Amino acid sequence: MTILSPKTAVPPAAAPADLPRAADPAPAPTGPPLLVLDDVHIRDRAGGRDIVRGVGFELTPGKTVGIVGESGSGKTLTCRAALGILPPHFEVDRGSIAIDGTDIATLTPRQWTDLRGATISAVFQDPASYLNPSIKVGAQIAEVVRVKQGLGRRAARHRALDLMAAVQLRDPELVHGQYPFELSGGMLQRVLIAAAIAAGPRILIADEATTALDVTVQAEILDLLADLRERTGLALVVVSHDLAVVAQLCDEVLVMRDGKVVEQGPTETVLHTPRHAYTRLLIDEHESYGLDRFLAPREAA
Amino acid sequence: MSTIRQDSAATDGIRQEPGAPDGLHQDPTAADRVRQAPAAADTPRRPVLAVSGLEVHHGLRRRRRRVLADVTLDIAAGETLGLIGETGSGKSTFARAVLGLVHVSAGSISVDGEDVTGYNARQWRALRRRGVVQYVFQDPLRSLDPDLTVEDSLTEPLLLAGTDRRTAAGRARDLLTRVRLPHELLTRLPGELSGGQRQRVAVARALATEPRLLLLDEPVSALDSANRVHILEILKELRAAGVALVFISHDLGSVAGVADRVAVLHRGELVETGPVADVIRAPRHPYTRLLVGSAPTLHTPAASRSERAALRAQLAL
């Protein structure tokens, strides 16, 4: 919630208030890139070394970029850099990041506040830790729209209920009045996604957002993200340690290891003609030990 | 083993019938077929673990709820069973019941031909101490005492079983070799090992008493690719050596590479059992279909987004 709570009262242009339920087919969303990373290096000033060394990709509306790597590979730091929330003594020391055409190095704290939630938003692995345990979840979603869109109490409540329906929480009225401890991990992650999309962002970063969940719940959350992408043209960055999670959802894949991108390209290409040994290891694991052993291989692209 | 598999497929048929009675023991034909499973086999081998009509409740009085309902399973020597279930399915309770760690309300459990259902606490302790059944947790820190060196952890179960110190020390080295770890780790504490090394030590410790049956609860979920493959390779060797394995996981994908058979638990009930390839290629129960269709795959998923949505609606998930 940190990235969503800062005070501002700038209503985003054309907030997709009816985004959720409306099943109207969104026009094929394309356009100029929303998020551009160019040869980004992230330095740990305390340790005196570059932790991330050269990450670059372009994300256009309705598209999904996936980042795969083990813990410590630099994928989360890359996301945090794009959100302007690097931990203390980490900095982008080479390369550039642009959100919707604006180089983030030039942003003032005030501009960052306007951007977060309204243009770029995120969900992370442990949803419970982003919610206040002593405030009902409905009120926590409503707070985001009150702060970001300047809605009144009543309107904010309605909007919160709409958003909760949009993320397919079964009984929004009931969940609205519940505390985080009363909800399952999958429901909490939906609440977090509802809060993250509350101010109608155009980019959503999902950093290991389904890692702690059961397989069927993980699929539900991934399906929900795919739905949102199709209905609203939301652009996604999906970060996972599991190549298969990324393969299901992404147009382009980056494979990271020790802070470097060891392989990058369209998902089909990376899966069919992996060039780096590490990518081959990830693919082999699935093909020798996973479900892929028993299922028909994907048709050539 | 093939006969056993066929037989388990036969039990599936019973499970699939809509409106089939809940308790197998109330259904003579089904019960007969289940009981015949090992006997009908040409091999004289009896199952290492035979569980029949197992029922477990948690809580008292008004809070009492059924965690396992009429679970019937056999596992033969050298067979690997993948027990699949999500949060709250009762899969860990099943393992705990087999170890005598929870109260069983109905049904029977036989370990290595011995009916252990009516055991008292002392008999259970004696059985566990003999080490015929061993258990490995997801988090190796729970299987290993943080204050014991690797060597002490490995020799302790042997010393308890009456082995002399020198023989036990030699065995500790063999065990490390078996899980492909260097001997210099013997003097380390669990906290000084990587996650993958710790899990391999936990497996080595479980093997110290030469168990006939090894229960593994999410043994690879916390590990990265390379370490996952290491553990799976070790499990395959154990299977080849004739150990019966129960590989418990929420993820069908993680057991697909090592299991002979899978059993799917849903809300405390066994909804499907069968050879792993059959269950993955042609799942019969809607929950199994959702499980297979939800597992992330590199290639074409087993179910489309709309198929998954329909299955969820059907199961009221």
Side-chain angles (χ1 to χ4, degrees):
Chain A
M1 291 297 271
T2 16
I3 57 156
L4 296 169
S5 39
K7 281 200 194 83
T8 172
V10 182
D18 53 337
L19 113 208
R21 287 269 120 151
D24 49 356
T30 44
L34 285 168
L35 178 64
V36 181
L37 273 71
D38 182 20
D39 192 32
V40 169
H41 287 62
I42 300 170
R43 188 172 182 76
D44 172 10
R45 269 183 282 123
R49 62 193 191 94
D50 279 5
I51 306 293
V52 171
R53 292 165 288 161
V55 179
F57 62 84
E58 275 191 25
L59 184 63
T60 49
K63 291 289 176 194
T64 306
V65 168
I67 306 179
V68 185
E70 280 158 21
S71 46
S73 61
K75 54 197 197 314
T76 294
L77 271 183
T78 304
C79 293
R80 294 183 69 122
L83 291 158
I85 50 168
L86 279 173
H89 57 72
F90 283 88
E91 63 180 12
V92 175
D93 76 332
R94 249 173 67 194
S96 66
I97 300 175
I99 297 174
D100 207 8
T102 311
D103 186 335
I104 62 166
T106 67
L107 291 173
T108 62
R110 172 70 203 239
Q111 286 169 315
W112 258 126
T113 306
D114 292 348
L115 212 60
R116 290 188 200 120
T119 305
I120 187 165
S121 197
V123 281
F124 299 97
Q125 177 170 349
D126 179 17
S129 63
Y130 294 90
L131 291 167
N132 185 327
S134 55
I135 298 177
K136 292 174 182 171
V137 296
Q140 300 195 51
I141 298 173
E143 185 200 359
V144 179
V145 288
R146 292 182 67 192
V147 168
K148 294 301 266 190
Q149 299 180 302
L151 297 185
R153 202 172 281 272
R154 187 179 297 260
R157 182 189 148 83
H158 278 283
R159 174 89 175 117
L161 287 172
D162 284 349
L163 286 161
M164 287 160 81
V167 295
Q168 291 151 31
L169 279 162
R170 201 170 299 132
D171 189 346
E173 288 279 352
L174 174 71
V175 177
H176 189 276
Q178 287 183 307
Y179 291 97
F181 78 87
E182 297 179 87
L183 305 182
S184 69
M187 292 171 86
L188 286 173
Q189 196 58 281
R190 279 165 214 273
V191 168
L192 260 286
I193 292 173
I197 62 169
R202 302 172 65 197
I203 309 161
L204 180 67
I205 297 179
D207 185 356
E208 300 278 14
T210 61
T211 302
L213 305 174
D214 277 331
V215 171
T216 58
V217 183
Q218 162 164 289
E220 275 180 76
I221 298 290
L222 296 176
D223 287 352
L224 170 64
L225 292 176
D227 275 347
L228 289 170
R229 175 182 63 185
E230 276 162 29
R231 279 190 307 206
T232 68
L234 191 67
L236 296 170
V237 179
V238 174
V239 176
S240 177
H241 65 284
D242 186 350
L243 179 60
V245 165
V246 162
Q248 297 285 294
L249 208 60
C250 299
D251 308 292
E252 184 183 358
V253 181
L254 284 77
V255 181
M256 287 188 75
R257 197 172 197 202
D258 297 331
K260 284 175 92 163
V261 177
V262 296
E263 181 131 13
Q264 179 169 7
T267 307
E268 292 288 336
T269 313
V270 170
L271 291 181
H272 274 105
T273 49
R275 281 169 302 159
H276 195 274
Y278 180 63
T279 318
R280 282 200 292 273
L281 175 85
L282 294 178
I283 293 174
D284 276 353
E285 199 216 330
H286 275 282
E287 289 181 344
S288 323
Y289 291 100
L291 232 51
D292 284 288
R293 251 182 101 189
F294 299 102
L295 298 171
R298 183 182 288 219
E299 295 79 41
Chain B
M1 212 151 69
S2 57
T3 29
I4 288 158
R5 281 188 215 166
Q6 277 165 12
D7 196 86
S8 67
T11 30
D12 287 349
I14 297 154
R15 304 259 165 199
Q16 291 308 309
E17 275 162 31
D22 237 352
L24 267 188
H25 44 285
Q26 293 159 3
D27 175 355
T29 41
D32 283 348
R33 276 196 252 179
V34 169
R35 209 163 303 126
Q36 277 164 15
D42 295 331
T43 44
R45 203 162 46 187
R46 64 186 177 204
V48 174
L49 176 69
V51 173
S52 176
L54 182 70
E55 206 160 297
V56 174
H57 289 80
H58 281 343
L60 286 171
R61 293 185 197 96
R62 284 218 325 261
R63 296 224 173 149
R64 184 174 154 96
R65 56 195 177 81
R66 200 167 61 175
V67 185
L68 285 178
D70 185 35
V71 172
T72 298
L73 272 180
D74 282 347
I75 297 138
E79 189 184 22
T80 300
L81 175 85
L83 184 61
I84 311 299
E86 298 193 309
T87 311
S89 63
K91 61 189 196 298
S92 300
T93 302
F94 175 83
R96 293 173 61 79
V98 171
L99 290 161
L101 299 173
V102 292
H103 177 76
V104 170
S105 352
S108 68
I109 302 170
S110 294
V111 175
D112 210 11
E114 191 177 336
D115 187 344
V116 300
T117 321
Y119 270 18
N120 61 28
R122 196 160 45 90
Q123 287 170 304
W124 272 115
R125 265 201 306 279
L127 178 74
R128 287 197 294 267
R129 195 162 283 188
R130 281 215 322 271
V132 179
V133 186
Q134 288 284 3
Y135 190 61
V136 175
F137 293 93
Q138 171 174 357
D139 176 7
L141 285 176
R142 284 174 66 195
S143 309
L144 298 173
D145 186 327
D147 294 328
L148 291 185
T149 62
V150 169
E151 180 164 24
D152 289 342
S153 271
L154 295 178
T155 53
E156 190 191 40
L158 294 166
L159 296 174
L160 277 172
T163 313
D164 68 277
R165 197 163 280 280
R166 180 194 290 265
T167 316
R171 282 279 294 144
R173 290 169 174 273
D174 295 344
L175 288 166
L176 274 194
T177 310
R178 202 156 166 199
V179 297
R180 299 173 200 168
L181 286 174
H183 291 172
E184 62 251 35
L185 297 187
L186 282 169
T187 54
R188 303 268 186 90
L189 292 170
E192 296 167 333
L193 304 175
S194 73
Q197 289 173 333
R198 270 203 294 264
Q199 191 60 295
R200 277 188 268 171
V201 171
V203 171
R205 182 178 197 273
L207 297 179
T209 57
E210 301 283 348
R212 306 280 326 272
L213 173 66
L214 187 58
L215 299 156
L216 305 115
D217 197 348
E218 301 278 7
V220 297
S221 302
L223 305 178
D224 62 34
S225 287
N227 278 307
R228 245 191 328 259
V229 171
H230 267 302
I231 295 280
L232 296 177
E233 289 294 333
I234 292 165
L235 297 186
K236 280 179 156 179
E237 286 174 16
L238 291 176
R239 178 177 59 177
V243 181
L245 300 169
V246 181
F247 189 141
I248 302 171
S249 176
H250 74 284
D251 179 11
L252 193 51
S254 71
V255 310
V258 290
D260 301 302
R261 258 195 313 148
V262 291
V264 180
L265 266 179
H266 179 49
R267 295 175 182 163
E269 293 185 46
L270 214 49
V271 296
E272 186 156 356
T273 25
V276 63
D278 294 1
V279 172
I280 291 172
R281 292 202 185 110
R284 283 182 280 177
H285 191 278
Y287 178 70
T288 319
R289 287 211 291 278
L290 179 63
L291 208 56
V292 174
S294 295
T297 52
L298 293 181
H299 305 302
T300 320
S304 68
R305 228 192 296 168
S306 54
E307 285 165 344
R308 282 195 291 266
L311 286 168
R312 277 178 213 128
Q314 188 183 346
L315 290 158
L317 279 180

